Every structure is written in C-alpha cells, then in structure tokens.
Amino acid sequence: MRTESEFGRHTLGAASVAYDVPRSDASDIMVLNPWISPVQVLEWANRVGFFESMVHGPESSCDICEKTGLTERGFEALAGVTLALELIRRSGEGRYELTTLSREYLLPDSPFFVGFSLFRDVNRPIPDRLIRRGQSNCLNWLARASRRLTQRLALRRSMEFGSPERLREQNSRNLAATALAASHPEFDHPTRIVDVGGGSGTFAIPLATRRRDVHITLIELPDSIANTRSYLDTAGVGDRVDVIGMDVLDAAATIPECDCVFFGNFVHGFSEQECVDLFGKCRNALKASGSIWIHEHLWDENKEGPLLTALWHVVMMANSASGRQRSWRELVELMELAGFEVELPEYTACGFSLVRGRVPEP
C-alpha cells in the first residue's frame, strides 16, 4: 500500500492541464455518496425484515431469502453492507446472525430502535433485481408514489453510458485514484498501452501528460467517443491518444497489439465468463512479457468489507444481471484462466487497488 509520504505532490508534465497526485485518501468521503448510501441500504433491510429474520438465531442465506422475499442478489447486497458495518456476522457453517449492535438498535421491537430517526425520509424503492416479483409491488408502492416518473426518466437518460453527465460523474469519483495508478513506476516502460473503457481519460490523460513518448489507445463505446475526445482535447493530449469506438465484448472485437492493457473500474460490470473472454483477448494482443492491469474496488478475502466495496456491490447487484465486485483471489482465478501470472494487489486511493497479471516467460 502506498502512503502519503510515498506519493507526495508532483505535477505530471507541462500540458495545458496539470495533474497533481493527491496527498490524501477520500475513501471516507466516498461512502457518503447518496447513490449508494449505507443508510438507504439499512432502510431496505429494515423494510423487508432482514434483521428480524435472524432474531431467533443463525440462519442460512436461503432461509433469510425465504423470510424476506429477497432474491439471491438481494441477499448478497444487504449481507455485504451489514457485514462490513459489523451488524451481522457469518459463522464457519455459512450461517448469519445478528450482532449485539443490530439486535439492540435495528430490531423494531427493541426499546432502543433507531429506525424512526435514522430512516426518516429515506424511502427509495427497492431495486427490482433485489426482491422477488410480487413482493416488490407492495413494498415499493409508497416509495415509488413519492417520486415523479418524469424526473426518473430524465435522470436515466442523462446518465446513459458516454453521456456528458455520466462521464462527469465517473471523472469525479475515479480521477484521484486513477491518476495515482498512472503514476506507478511500471507505467514508465511500456511504449504501447491500451486503456479499455477509458471514459473521460482518467488514466490516459495523466499518463500522456507525464509521458510524451508513449502511444496510448483508448477504447470506449461508440456513443461515448465525441464526449471522450472533448476531455482529451481540453487536457491538451487529444493529438497523442488514439480513440477507438468499440464494444470489447463483441465476439469480433479485438484489442490492438500492445505492451500493456489497463482496465480502470471496468470489469466489475461483467460475468466471470465475460471477464475470462475479455482477458483472453488481451492475452492475444500482448507482446512477450506484457501485462494486464485491473484497477478495482476489491473485497477482502472474507467478503466482509471494506464498506465502500460493499456499497458498490449493492449497485452491481441492483443494476446488472451478472456484474459484481470481486476479491483479489477471485480475480486471480479469472486472470489465470486467461493465461496470466498474477501479482499481489497494490492499494492506490479511494478504495481502489491495482492488480497486475503478467504474460508468463517462455
């Protein structure tokens, strides 16, 4: 893990936009993001009776789903956050039980129940993927009635992949950590780097600003290209970063030949098989001794934290069919299936870690 003293402050190059490597870690700020509010997750848990389902002792995940109406993904979402907050614990037999904290403060029958204060005006609908059909209509009706349909549709359109609003939001939460990743000394050596799902250029721009001798190719969805180019041009590196519009999951899509492939906050959106296929495309594109780099929010090995990873796991459980946050060991399994030798993770900032996979020596 890098420390503040190791990073310090330095300006990456002399282009029109100078990037400072941040001195501090914003993880404690990022957990306050209202999009993934831990209080909202606890309100959902309260609404479906998640804590009450364990009031008589340890229960299996299947029993909890049966009692609450949660889907498997819904259980994963609530369990991840409540484990990270130490509100439940998991036994060696894979059963779940309340801690003293949740038993005293989050059971509605407790005289110390804090829900009437904590959950006041916290009433977003439970996402459909988290709760079984039929159950959601009743539980969500009052919450849905308080939200205007036109506002929701407008927000959805504004946050489509590649839209200016979504790129701005992604840039805001990813830039600090990805600029630190781009300052890693191992990126001093490759001459051809491909940035997959590069978005607003949070990796490509700091690297191109620091290294004028590197050839960078940024791959994004075709609808994103114009808005991505505006970030590159504003930073003064538009003439030194090639941009390709491509869906890398398409069977016919290929990664350009390179020394290094970087995935910044990207692979959590895909299933295990999709990741293996994508890593396989990278393996075919990489030269001898080339590397693949994954920059993600990682679970600890017990999947009981950190909280920021657990909260983004909720987003994946709710908004994708097969995406999820993964632990380092889970990434190792997928990268090894594609033929890489994987190194230990290295923490950057804001909850992110870098994981490197090397092409094995002949």
Side-chain angles (χ1 to χ4, degrees):
M1 175 176 174
R2 299 185 185 185
T3 66
E4 177 180 323
S5 61
E6 288 179 279
F7 284 130
R9 181 184 187 280
H10 65 271
T11 300
L12 303 180
S16 59
V17 175
Y19 280 90
D20 293 334
V21 173
R23 293 175 176 270
S24 56
D25 190 331
S27 296
D28 290 342
I29 298 175
M30 298 305 292
V31 297
L32 303 177
N33 187 334
W35 191 28
I36 51 170
S37 164
V39 175
Q40 181 60 81
V41 176
L42 295 184
E43 192 276 332
W44 289 338
N46 176 70
R47 201 186 307 178
V48 301
F50 182 76
F51 298 110
E52 292 171 283
S53 71
M54 293 170 271
V55 70
H56 297 301
E59 298 283 0
S60 69
S61 59
C62 291
D63 289 338
I64 294 171
C65 287
E66 185 64 30
K67 290 181 178 182
T68 60
L70 290 168
T71 62
E72 183 178 341
R73 291 180 77 78
F75 172 80
E76 270 200 48
L78 299 192
V81 172
T82 51
L83 282 165
L85 291 171
E86 299 184 355
L87 297 173
I88 66 172
R89 65 173 64 91
R90 181 170 47 215
S91 69
E93 295 77 35
R95 296 169 73 84
Y96 298 82
E97 62 182 339
L98 301 177
T99 62
T100 302
L101 185 63
S102 59
R103 188 173 289 277
E104 290 185 338
Y105 294 104
L106 290 173
L107 288 177
D109 290 341
S110 169
F112 309 116
F113 179 61
V114 297
F116 298 118
S117 174
L118 193 63
F119 306 141
R120 182 183 178 188
D121 297 328
V122 180
N123 61 358
R124 285 168 57 183
I126 302 172
D128 290 340
R129 282 194 174 93
L130 304 189
I131 197 160
R132 298 173 191 170
R133 293 187 182 275
Q135 188 95 4
S136 61
N137 289 337
C138 176
L139 288 168
N140 283 337
W141 186 83
L142 289 175
R144 290 186 189 277
S146 67
R147 305 171 71 86
R148 296 175 59 189
L149 178 61
T150 53
Q151 291 176 329
R152 288 166 52 206
L153 290 175
L155 176 62
R156 181 172 295 178
R157 285 193 297 269
S158 71
M159 292 302 287
E160 288 177 347
F161 284 109
S163 68
E165 292 83 358
R166 189 177 184 96
L167 285 179
R168 182 174 60 186
E169 188 273 334
Q170 290 173 329
N171 191 79
S172 173
R173 61 181 158 86
N174 291 336
L175 178 59
T178 315
L180 284 170
S183 73
H184 194 291
E186 288 297 330
F187 292 118
D188 291 345
H189 311 298
T191 58
R192 303 183 71 86
I193 295 177
V194 174
D195 180 10
V196 178
S200 62
T202 55
F203 176 77
I205 293 172
L207 186 61
T209 304
R210 181 167 68 91
R211 286 192 59 196
R212 303 189 67 87
D213 60 332
V214 65
H215 182 277
I216 302 172
T217 300
L218 188 155
I219 297 176
E220 253 300 347
L221 292 170
D223 289 345
S224 303
I225 297 305
N227 294 320
T228 293
R229 287 190 186 279
S230 70
Y231 277 88
L232 300 174
D233 292 341
T234 298
V237 299
D239 60 336
R240 294 191 287 113
V241 178
D242 292 336
V243 181
I244 298 177
M246 177 197 305
D247 183 347
V248 291
L249 293 182
D250 283 348
T254 58
I255 306 295
E257 183 177 292
C258 57
D259 307 301
C260 172
V261 180
F262 181 83
F263 292 97
N265 201 21
F266 184 77
V267 301
H268 60 263
F270 308 110
S271 70
E272 279 69 21
Q273 188 57 55
E274 287 171 329
C275 288
V276 172
D277 292 344
L278 187 53
F279 297 159
K281 291 180 180 183
C282 297
R283 178 68 178 81
N284 293 335
L286 287 167
K287 300 176 182 177
S289 72
S291 297
I292 183 175
W293 294 81
I294 313 296
H295 196 224
E296 283 283 348
H297 292 292
L298 299 182
W299 282 111
D300 62 29
E301 292 309 312
N302 294 322
K303 288 197 169 181
E304 296 180 355
L307 178 58
L308 190 53
T309 299
L311 291 170
W312 281 113
H313 191 65
V314 173
V315 175
M316 288 297 97
M317 293 296 100
N319 295 290
S320 73
S322 54
R324 61 182 60 247
Q325 302 302 140
R326 297 178 173 91
S327 68
W328 172 73
R329 291 190 186 279
E330 288 174 323
L331 281 180
V332 168
E333 290 179 10
L334 302 179
M335 295 167 77
E336 287 181 343
L337 286 173
F340 290 98
E341 295 177 346
V342 186
E343 300 177 354
L344 290 171
E346 183 173 356
Y347 185 80
T348 54
C350 304
F352 285 96
S353 293
L354 267 175
V355 179
R356 181 186 192 182
R358 293 176 179 267
V359 175
E361 295 291 338

